[in-house]
Amino acid sequence: MEDEIDLRLYAQVVWRARYVILGVTLGAALLAFGVSRFLLPPVYQASALVVAESPAPEGPAAGEAQGDALAQGAGARAPVPAVRLAPAAYAEIVDSDSFRARLGERAANGGSAGAAAAPRPVVRARVVGQTDLIELTAEAPRADLAARWANEAAALLADEVARLNQSRMERSLSLLQEQVEASRQALDQALARMESLAREGPLLEQLESQQSVQLQMAADYRRRLDEIEVQLASGRARLEVLERRLASEPRALSLQAGAGSGGGSPGETFNPVYAQLQEEATLQQAALAGLEAERARLREALQRLEEELQATAARLVQARAGQQEVAWRLDMAQRSYQAALARYEAQRAELAGRLWAQTLSVVREAVPPAAPARPRALLNAAVAGFLGLMAGLFGALAAEMWRQPGPGQAAVPASGAAGPAR
């Protein structure tokens, strides 16, 4: 058989315990009302309204700053507005522990003895919608104290914003000083590179002059070698002609018997033509030997000169590469210095624009409230009464569940669901 839920049993249980449930409900409501009305200390709330403003610069100082920025030239930037904090950032400042501690010290130093003995001020901040309005709400045990704390919080927040603006300006000045120092270092490096370039300049000119001389000497050697080759070829041809003539010319001439005289054979005499040709051949061989010796010396000297020329060319390439590197580094140093100066001028103009940083203005001062914000006696009584009603119902059902069933009487199960006995 299936169990069925019968709400009439629960209704009967509640009806039997209706006086107990009603008593618990009324008792809880009256107790909560009495505690809220007579025992709990009242808490008053007061709110001050501030707005974040970025006023435009006015007066002669603004004109001088703008004129100074415009006088920088077309490449300079005009003063830019100060960096604005979002309204939520002000709310975070108010919610910080440091702000509340400073507010407590400020309220204690500027208040009466009773205010000085009061606990640390409780202040909250919230942004009103999508606007730049910030609402500062203070809670205190007295109405006048709550209003004073709210106004003190607004004044302290304005001072905090001014301090933040001053801190941002100091950081900007520090950054500008670092950039100026970096530009000075870049300038020193540029000057050092210029001195290095001036020292390396004569060495490069000397190497170029030495290379030019060596090239001219190598050209002279090659030209002389070409001339020697021509002279050798001509001399060898001349020598061959002389040798052929010597081969065809007899050494002695045959004469009539008894006509000869001297150391020759009878009837023979020495041929002067042969002697002349032999002498010319000897001289030609000596000349060829001298030319070949000169050619060997020139080739050896040319080889040494070519090796020296290669070494000079390598040194010259290295010197030119070093000079190009020095020139490049010098150019980069000059550009870095010019860029640093441009950034300095631009940020100086921007810093002039930040002199008119964002400020806070009080739109509405806090006034002492007429009634406390907490405790709300009627609301507490209503909530306590509802909770008492729930407790009474639960207690009645629990008591009925643990009650022993009598003969012929159905028991309420522990799960809260019951059905008719079958």
Side-chain angles (χ1 to χ4, degrees):
M1 293 185 299
E2 298 180 357
D3 294 337
E4 296 181 359
I5 298 175
D6 191 356
L7 297 178
R8 290 178 298 176
L9 295 178
Y10 292 100
Q12 291 175 2
V13 172
V14 172
W15 179 254
R16 287 196 299 268
R18 61 185 179 278
Y19 296 110
V20 176
I21 295 173
L22 182 61
V24 171
T25 302
L26 292 178
L30 292 175
L31 180 62
F33 181 82
V35 170
S36 301
R37 186 68 178 81
F38 301 104
L39 297 181
L40 294 179
V43 177
Y44 293 87
Q45 289 184 351
S47 299
L49 199 62
V50 297
V51 61
E53 296 179 340
S54 297
E58 297 179 357
E64 292 176 1
Q66 292 180 355
D68 188 13
L70 294 177
Q72 298 172 5
R77 296 187 300 172
V80 297
V83 178
R84 296 188 58 191
L85 291 178
Y90 295 111
E92 294 178 358
I93 293 175
V94 174
D95 293 336
S96 63
D97 295 336
S98 60
F99 181 86
R100 293 178 179 177
R102 293 180 59 189
L103 179 61
E105 296 176 358
R106 185 165 179 171
N109 294 333
S112 60
R120 177 178 295 186
V122 178
V123 180
R124 295 187 302 272
R126 71 178 186 90
V127 181
V128 180
Q130 301 296 326
T131 63
D132 292 336
L133 296 175
I134 301 100
E135 184 181 22
L136 303 175
T137 302
E139 296 182 355
R142 300 200 314 269
D144 60 338
L145 193 59
R148 191 168 66 85
W149 281 355
N151 293 328
E152 288 288 346
L156 181 60
L157 183 59
D159 295 343
E160 187 71 13
V161 170
R163 187 183 65 82
L164 289 176
N165 290 333
Q166 183 65 27
S167 177
R168 288 201 302 269
M169 291 179 63
E170 291 177 355
R171 287 196 299 269
S172 299
L173 287 174
S174 176
L175 179 60
L176 291 178
Q177 292 176 357
E178 292 178 0
Q179 291 179 352
V180 169
E181 184 64 24
S183 65
R184 288 179 180 176
Q185 293 179 0
L187 180 58
D188 294 340
Q189 293 177 0
L191 293 176
R193 292 298 180 181
M194 290 176 64
E195 294 177 358
S196 176
L197 181 62
R199 289 193 301 268
E200 294 181 3
L203 176 61
L204 182 60
E205 295 177 358
Q206 181 180 358
L207 289 175
E208 290 177 349
S209 177
Q210 181 179 355
Q211 185 186 39
S212 177
V213 172
Q214 290 174 347
L215 288 174
Q216 183 64 37
M217 292 177 62
D220 294 340
Y221 287 167
R222 292 188 182 95
R223 184 172 60 253
R224 178 56 184 162
L225 284 173
D226 293 340
E227 293 176 356
I228 290 175
E229 292 293 338
V230 173
Q231 292 177 3
L232 284 173
S234 176
R236 290 191 183 99
R238 176 64 178 167
L239 182 60
E240 290 176 0
V241 172
L242 292 174
E243 288 177 350
R244 285 196 300 267
R245 291 181 64 183
L246 280 173
S248 62
E249 189 71 26
R251 294 173 59 89
L253 299 176
S254 299
L255 301 175
Q256 295 178 357
S261 61
S265 300
E268 294 183 358
T269 183
F270 189 75
N271 189 358
V273 176
Y274 181 86
Q276 183 179 1
L277 291 175
Q278 188 178 15
E279 183 180 1
E280 291 181 0
T282 303
L283 293 176
Q284 188 65 34
Q285 289 177 354
L288 290 175
L291 288 175
E292 289 178 354
E294 184 181 1
R295 182 180 64 177
R297 291 194 303 270
L298 286 177
R299 285 180 176 177
E300 184 179 357
L302 181 60
Q303 184 177 2
R304 291 196 303 268
L305 184 60
E306 288 178 349
E307 293 176 356
E308 294 177 359
L309 187 61
Q310 291 178 357
T312 303
R315 293 179 60 189
L316 185 60
V317 169
Q318 185 177 4
R320 286 175 177 172
Q323 185 184 29
Q324 291 178 357
E325 181 182 0
V326 170
W328 177 77
R329 291 183 181 274
L330 177 61
D331 182 65
M332 292 299 296
Q334 290 177 347
R335 291 185 180 183
S336 299
Y337 176 69
Q338 293 175 358
L341 288 181
R343 287 195 301 269
Y344 172 78
E345 295 297 335
Q347 293 190 8
R348 187 169 64 88
E350 182 178 355
L351 183 61
R354 287 189 177 184
L355 293 177
W356 303 276
Q358 189 176 10
T359 58
L360 288 181
S361 300
V362 179
V363 178
R364 185 192 64 200
E365 294 185 353
V367 295
R374 294 194 311 270
R376 301 175 64 178
L378 294 180
L379 179 61
N380 294 342
V383 173
F386 177 76
L387 295 178
L389 176 62
M390 294 296 102
L393 292 174
F394 179 78
L397 293 176
E400 187 66 20
M401 180 182 65
W402 292 105
R403 183 181 302 171
Q404 293 295 332
Q409 183 179 4
V412 179
S415 61
R422 295 182 181 274

